[in-house]
């Protein structure tokens, strides 16, 4: 018994520096991730600011009923799922492609310049990006209308916005994903490529049989995490970029923007909490299902 206690104390002392380094992160996680979980009860209450979270009256699933019985329920669900599925596929294909191209550049200084250029849009807020889009799409002074002699009111043309949203989303986020895959490619041992060259493998064969298999685990992990957020939409993309234009609601309204607008109109915090809980639960289930499927196919590639 004493030996076990001593071993535990020795293990604690040995890892004390690492524990102290992790302590700030653990405290922040408890404060901002675990303590707010008590607010889940808001999804089942008719929140009243005077009574507070726990003093407000219970109303069961009425907050969820409001979300699903609205006439816009199909539209916001379709838009949220459709755009996110498209983003996941395009981001995966384009990011892997760009990472491989950058890795194949012989001039490493040029590769770093291109990498910086691709990464820069990721650090711009959607407010800034919305002004860039407005400078391109404005009716009077927009670059596209002037360059091509058009007179299109882009912010009243719903048919064009699925393409516009996809282009700006990929432009803004592609660099970040590319860097993550590029980091994995850089970590691949050159011995594999040298052995492939000795066997007469072409560049495409090296990519197909060495690079892509080495990226498989990273691709699966990032895809599973993206699937877990498939019911979450980037609020800035769908609210700031279209400049909250009413005619565009059929193609730009998603769950997050719908809840925000409903919250502004009627101040129903309970309904907002219900929507967030719904998104979190669905995302959690999708992560488990996706990981289960991957685990059945390739156990070593599963997230957990």
């Amino acid at each position: 018994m004493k030996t076990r206690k001593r071993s535990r104390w020795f293990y604690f002392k040995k890892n004390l520096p690492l524990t102290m380094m992790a302590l700030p992160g653990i405290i922040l996680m408890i404060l901002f991730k675990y303590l707010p979980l008590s607010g889940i009860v808001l999804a089942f209450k008719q929140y009243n600011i005077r009574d507070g979270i726990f003093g407000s009256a219970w109303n069961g699933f009425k907050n969820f009923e409001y979300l699903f019985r609205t006439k816009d329920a199909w539209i916001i669900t379709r838009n949220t799922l459709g755009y996110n599925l498209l983003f996941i596929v395009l981001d995966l294909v384009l990011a892997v492609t760009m990472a491989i191209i950058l890795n194949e550049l012989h001039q490493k200084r040029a590769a770093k310049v291109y990498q910086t250029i691709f990464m820069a849009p990721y650090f711009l807020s959607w407010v800034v990006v919305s002004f860039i889009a407005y400078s391109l799409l404005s009716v009077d002074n927009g670059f596209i209308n002037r360059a091509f002699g058009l007179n299109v009111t882009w912010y009243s043309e719903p048919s064009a916005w699925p393409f516009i949203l996809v282009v700006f989303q990929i432009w803004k986020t592609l660099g970040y994903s590319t860097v993550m895959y590029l980091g994995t490619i850089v970590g691949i041992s050159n011995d594999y490529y040298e052995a492939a060259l000795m066997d007469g493998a072409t560049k495409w064969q090296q990519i197909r049989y060495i690079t892509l298999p080495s990226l498989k685990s990273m691709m699966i992990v990032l895809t599973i995490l993206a699937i877990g957020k498939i019911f979450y939409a980037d609020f800035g993309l769908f609210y700031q970029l279209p400049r909250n234009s009413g005619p565009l609601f059929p193609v730009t309204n998603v769950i997050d923007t719908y809840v925000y607008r409903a919250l502004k109109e009627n101040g129903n915090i309970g309904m907002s909490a219900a929507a967030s809980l719904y998104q979190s639960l669905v995302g959690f289930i999708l992560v488990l299902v996706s990981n289960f499927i991957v685990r059945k196919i390739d156990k070593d590639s599963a997230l957990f």
Side-chain angles (χ1 to χ4, degrees), residues 126 129 133 136 164-172 237 241:
W126 280 113
V129 175
L136 296 173
I164 294 172
L165 290 170
V166 170
V167 168
F168 275 94
Q169 168 69 11
I170 296 301
W171 173 74
K172 189 175 186 299
L237 172 65
L241 193 65

Side-chain angles (χ1 to χ4, degrees), residues 223-258:
T223 302
I224 291 176
L225 294 176
I227 290 174
K229 297 181 179 180
I230 201 168
F231 264 76
Y232 283 91
D234 194 326
F235 181 82
L237 172 65
F238 293 99
Y239 186 83
Q240 297 289 353
L241 193 65
R243 305 180 75 85
N244 198 27
S245 177
L248 302 180
F249 284 177
V251 293
T252 61
N253 207 9
V254 291
I255 295 177
D256 298 80
T257 56
Y258 179 82

Side-chain angles (χ1 to χ4, degrees), residues 84-190:
N84 280 332
L85 282 173
L86 191 58
F87 293 158
I88 290 171
V89 174
L90 289 178
D91 185 73
L92 175 64
V93 175
L94 295 178
V96 171
T97 303
M98 290 303 303
I100 292 174
I101 292 174
L102 288 175
N103 185 65
E104 293 300 324
L105 291 176
H106 296 292
Q107 295 183 355
K108 295 306 178 183
R109 181 173 297 179
K112 291 181 179 179
V113 172
Y114 294 139
Q115 182 178 330
T116 303
I117 293 173
F118 289 133
M119 191 69 182
Y122 180 78
F123 297 101
L124 298 177
S125 72
W126 280 113
V127 176
V128 175
V129 175
S130 70
F131 282 103
I132 296 175
Y134 186 75
S135 68
L136 296 173
L137 304 174
S138 174
V139 179
D140 300 324
N141 300 313
F143 174 79
I144 293 179
N145 281 352
R146 287 190 299 171
F148 297 98
L150 302 176
N151 191 29
V152 180
T153 308
W154 294 103
Y155 288 93
S156 299
E157 290 289 337
S159 60
W161 275 87
F163 176 76
I164 294 172
L165 290 170
V166 170
V167 168
F168 275 94
Q169 168 69 11
I170 296 301
W171 173 74
K172 189 175 186 299
T173 61
L174 181 61
Y176 179 78
S177 302
T178 299
V179 168
M180 297 187 70
Y181 289 118
L182 185 60
T184 303
I185 294 176
V186 171
I188 301 174
S189 176
N190 287 327

